[in-house]
Amino acid sequence: MAGSRLVLEGRISIISFISGLGVIIIHLLVKFGSHIDWIFDYLTDVNGKIAIAAYITVINGFLLIIYKGPLYKVAVRACFLGFAFGCGLILSFADTTWTYFGWYMCSLSFFHYSEYLVTAMTNPRSLSLDSFLLNHSVEYVVAAISSWIEFTVEQLLIPEMKQVNWLCLVGLVMVLCGESLRKAAMLTAGSNFNHIVQNEKAQTHVLVTTGVYIMLCNPICILGYTFASWRFFRERIEEEEIFLIHFFGEDYVEYKKKVFTGLPFISGIRVNS
């Protein structure tokens, strides 16, 4: 029963994400049907914004009626991320100076949703609302809000700074590569993957030794993120390796000697030869 419930949550998240993504329908109607009287009257300018708000209200009410308790919590989060992804698509293809922020919205919302979906696919027993990573940490929230504020301020005061096309494209490619690598690592690790460092070895844990395991032009945040990310991964890797050595002993020590972390100036726990 527990397994079937988790599969159900995964399916609900897909349906809800697509429901939120449906906001682009309003944009498409305005773009390609503005010559039609009722579309022009009810879906352009202020009325268009009201239509979007009404759409979200109706979808949220629909989800509340269909799903109860924990299932509704899954549905409303997935719907919100789908809505954010849809808004990002609208900005990405609109004739606006906020195009690159649209790329960012798509990337961020897809990251959070795919974390939940891939966890549901690979390790459903650890699936929870926390798998969306929307409540990652206070530091994460502060970092995200800081990037939004910096982008908005610089966009308003120095708009040309946000139009460095090649740099934004490099940032997008880096995001796509990083996201692909992370999801490949999650799929490779399978049921061994968990968002929380495990301090006890489960019977299903095995040592996986194969496979794979800058977009807003915000100069201030880039420097801050670089240091914060390096520090986070250094501490995280060292913490994980302590438990991996405890779980797998010499098997992990030998594996560690053959590979490197792939992160600059981070070698992990030092092990005597």
Side-chain angles (χ1 to χ4, degrees), residues 74-90:
V74 171
V76 75
R77 284 163 174 76
C79 181
F80 165 74
L81 292 172
F83 174 75
F85 188 87
C87 291
L89 284 179
I90 292 173

Side-chain angles (χ1 to χ4, degrees), residues 62-127:
F62 179 76
L63 294 175
L64 184 59
I65 294 173
I66 299 298
Y67 306 119
K68 302 296 182 181
L71 294 182
Y72 170 74
K73 293 179 180 179
V74 171
V76 75
R77 284 163 174 76
C79 181
F80 165 74
L81 292 172
F83 174 75
F85 188 87
C87 291
L89 284 179
I90 292 173
L91 285 177
S92 297
F93 293 99
D95 184 17
T96 175
T97 57
W98 291 78
T99 296
Y100 300 128
F101 196 81
W103 293 7
Y104 168 84
M105 289 181 64
C106 288
S107 302
L108 188 64
S109 56
F110 180 79
F111 164 75
H112 283 288
Y113 173 69
S114 61
E115 287 292 300
Y116 184 90
L117 183 62
V118 174
T119 301
M121 295 167 53
T122 60
N123 191 11
R125 292 185 179 277
S126 69
L127 189 67

Side-chain angles (χ1 to χ4, degrees), residues 181-193:
L181 181 62
R182 176 172 174 82
K183 293 308 181 288
M186 291 176 68
L187 292 170
T188 299
S191 61
N192 296 285
F193 176 83

Side-chain angles (χ1 to χ4, degrees), residues 9 11 19 22-23 58 75 103 115 118-119 145 152 179 201 210 214 227-228 230 233 241 259:
E9 290 183 359
R11 292 177 178 175
S19 298
V23 70
V58 170
W103 293 7
E115 287 292 300
V118 174
T119 301
I145 294 177
T152 302
E179 177 67 357
K201 182 182 178 182
T210 58
I214 299 189
F227 174 74
W230 180 85
F233 283 113
E241 287 196 327
V259 299

Side-chain angles (χ1 to χ4, degrees), residues 10-11 21 137 156 165 168 184 211 225:
R11 292 177 178 175
L21 181 59
S137 64
L156 296 175
N165 297 338
C168 293
Y225 290 175

